[in-house]
Amino acid sequence: MKTSALILAACGLMTGCSLQSNSYVETLKLATVGAPDVEVSSQQIAQIPYASAYLTVGDLPRAFVVLAFEEQDQLKWISADRNLFVYEQGRLVKTLGLDNDLRWMSERSHDPLRTSLTVPASGQHWVYTAEWSKDDESGHQLDATMFRRGIESRKVLGQSMDLVHLEEQVRDRQTGERWSNHFWVEPHSGDVLASRQQLGPQTPTIEFSLLKPS
């Protein structure tokens, strides 16, 4: 699928997305399938009129993604490798273009990330249901507990920053599979600036690191 066709297909899911910017199309060409990890200079990032980030799916090369649209607390990021990633309060809540897409999540209003700076070291528990494109009959119920792990230094926004590290331990009630998600949060705003998340049982991790905010 050509980049222009990709944008058209993705924007069909996003009311209000504009297709008129040539610079937007050119920006998407920075991410390619099968290439080595993309590296974008600080000068290039500064010249791009969109929020941008690095994103890595499993063992695939790192891609450069741009923010296509912001709507109802959701940030919709798009790359040139036919993928769309929808984040809400720093959590991936929907994907388009992966081998096994996340279609839906329940109970998002109870997500501890909505009040990320109040997550205790002793843990905050919540339960939600998720459905994927290869397993969408009834969804799986997931038990999750999020823990505050302290302050860690990570490189985001082109610099080293001290961020709050949150670890979430998840168990799929149907399969018994367990995994961990990690979020690095700005200690004043509570915004998630970097994350490593697994969307469900036997799905690859997806790493995200913000380069330029909206």
Side-chain angles (χ1 to χ4, degrees), residues 7-204:
I7 300 171
L8 184 61
C11 286
L13 301 177
M14 300 180 285
T15 304
C17 183
S18 173
L19 302 179
Q20 297 178 353
S21 174
N22 288 331
S23 62
Y24 185 76
V25 177
E26 292 304 315
T27 297
L28 287 175
K29 292 178 181 178
L30 288 169
T32 56
V33 178
D37 286 351
V38 65
E39 186 73 34
V40 184
S41 69
S42 57
Q43 290 81 8
Q44 287 177 298
I45 294 170
Q47 293 172 0
I48 295 169
Y50 310 100
S52 58
Y54 284 138
L55 191 145
T56 306
V57 179
D59 296 329
L60 295 176
R62 182 178 65 193
F64 178 78
V65 296
V66 293
L67 182 62
F69 200 67
E70 182 175 359
E71 181 181 32
Q72 298 178 345
D73 293 329
Q74 291 187 344
L75 301 180
K76 300 177 180 181
W77 301 85
I78 192 171
S79 71
D81 57 0
R82 307 182 184 183
N83 291 337
L84 176 71
F85 303 86
V86 181
Y87 283 81
E88 185 173 306
Q89 304 296 325
R91 184 180 300 277
L92 261 172
V93 297
K94 187 174 184 179
T95 65
L96 177 65
L98 303 181
D99 289 338
N100 189 13
D101 281 312
L102 176 63
R103 287 184 170 178
W104 176 76
M105 285 180 60
S106 73
E107 308 302 328
R108 298 200 303 275
S109 62
H110 300 297
D111 189 342
L113 286 176
R114 290 185 174 274
T115 53
S116 59
L117 295 180
T118 66
V119 173
S122 58
Q124 183 173 340
H125 181 256
W126 70 306
V127 179
Y128 62 98
T129 302
E131 293 185 352
W132 305 272
S133 58
K134 289 187 178 180
D135 187 9
D136 59 354
E137 293 182 359
S138 61
H140 288 199
Q141 199 165 51
L142 305 176
D143 280 310
T145 304
M146 185 174 289
F147 302 88
R148 182 186 179 106
R149 297 305 193 195
I151 301 295
E152 291 183 7
S153 180
R154 285 184 68 90
K155 186 175 181 180
V156 293
L157 299 172
Q159 59 184 314
S160 180
M161 299 180 64
D162 291 332
L163 304 176
V164 177
H165 176 206
L166 302 177
E167 179 184 359
E168 181 178 60
Q169 297 176 1
V170 186
R171 182 180 68 89
D172 185 324
R173 289 185 178 179
Q174 266 100 323
T175 67
E177 184 174 341
R178 298 174 182 266
W179 63 88
S180 294
N181 297 322
H182 298 267
F183 305 88
W184 288 271
V185 178
E186 206 286 325
H188 301 291
S189 67
D191 293 337
V192 177
L193 302 186
S195 65
R196 183 166 68 248
Q197 304 179 53
Q198 185 174 329
L199 303 185
Q202 300 181 29
T203 59

